[in-house]
Amino acid sequence: MVPSHEHWMRLALREARRGIGRTSPNPAVGVVIVSPRGKLLARGWHRAAGLPHAEIEAINRLARPALARGASLYVTLEPCSTQGRTPPCVAAIIAAGFARVCVGAIDPNPAHAGRGLKRLRAAGIEVIPGILAADAAALNPAFNKWILTGLPLVIAKCALSLDARTARPPSQGRWLTGQLARAHAHRLRAQVDAILIGAGTLRADNPRLTIRAGPAPARQPWRVVLTRSGNLPTDSHLFTDEHRARTLVYKNRSLPAVIRDLGRRGVTTLLIEGGAGILTQAFARRLVDRVHFYIAPIVLGGPTLLHLPNSPIIQNPKYLRLGPDLLLTGTVRYP
């Protein structure tokens, strides 16, 4: 039985996922190349901005360049048609002699959407778009938002007790959640471009905001501190460790203004790890797109996390058990 287009696109999606968290501000993209007889010839994925795109990676992995002639190329995102840090992939695909290009998602940039497909068709290449399009588009929610709005995807992350408290009393230790939940949070950090906290969190916890679990990330995310006074402890980890050049301080700037500036810096995904004040402000201003709430089986008492007049709703909630703790993820809808 000849494998379907969906079969090959699933393999391309698997390749693309290898680049999640490593390609910003570019999207994660995967490619497989298939012979006319249905044999897998090569595969590739985009490894980092400035490095060859997935199409070029796969073409370079062919045993012989001539194998591309008459073959099919499956790619999760429409091939680029404009010159950036690297030459346009459409030109390389045409030069290689492919007979067919099968595409998952269309380029979300309105200025470029469909241009690559048009050039391929003009060169006599059969183009089949929309194969597992929803899955392909879901690979890059941050890129999709950033390319359309210039703003990063904003994720609110915090650890909570069952009664929505965010911190133990000092005498009970620092951590609310267990080791599995904390390791999962580090893997989340590895997938974002910047991590934001307030000055209160910096003074109280002296956090490192580094990635200390899972595979080594492509780079340390920016560490962003919001402060009204600018009076910050200069001996904090953020200002003294080996990643101190990756620390940004915004003095007396509104949260929306900071997010806009981070978008201009090429930040496509922002993780807010601040305390109750920063999180309340982010939700109240409708800035949060997604949540990662780690819920510990403990009751603490004390002030609650958020006080909002119109409560946001978590859509498509998903739950993951991490040892004794529970992770809630989902997208945010505002009333």
Side-chain angles (χ1 to χ4, degrees), residues 8 32-36 39-43 58 61-63 67-68 71:
W8 296 119
V32 296
I33 297 174
V34 182
S35 76
K39 177 184 177 183
L40 178 63
L41 297 175
R43 62 182 82 198
R61 289 176 177 270
L62 288 167
L67 291 175

Side-chain angles (χ1 to χ4, degrees), residues 299-321:
V299 177
L300 293 175
T304 57
L305 171 62
L306 301 176
H307 300 278
L308 298 172
N310 296 304
S311 300
I313 297 169
I314 308 304
Q315 289 187 313
N316 305 314
K318 295 181 180 179
Y319 302 91
L320 176 65
R321 185 169 179 178

Side-chain angles (χ1 to χ4, degrees), residues 120-138:
L120 293 172
R121 289 189 177 108
I125 296 174
E126 179 186 6
V127 175
I128 304 177
I131 301 172
L132 301 181
D135 293 334

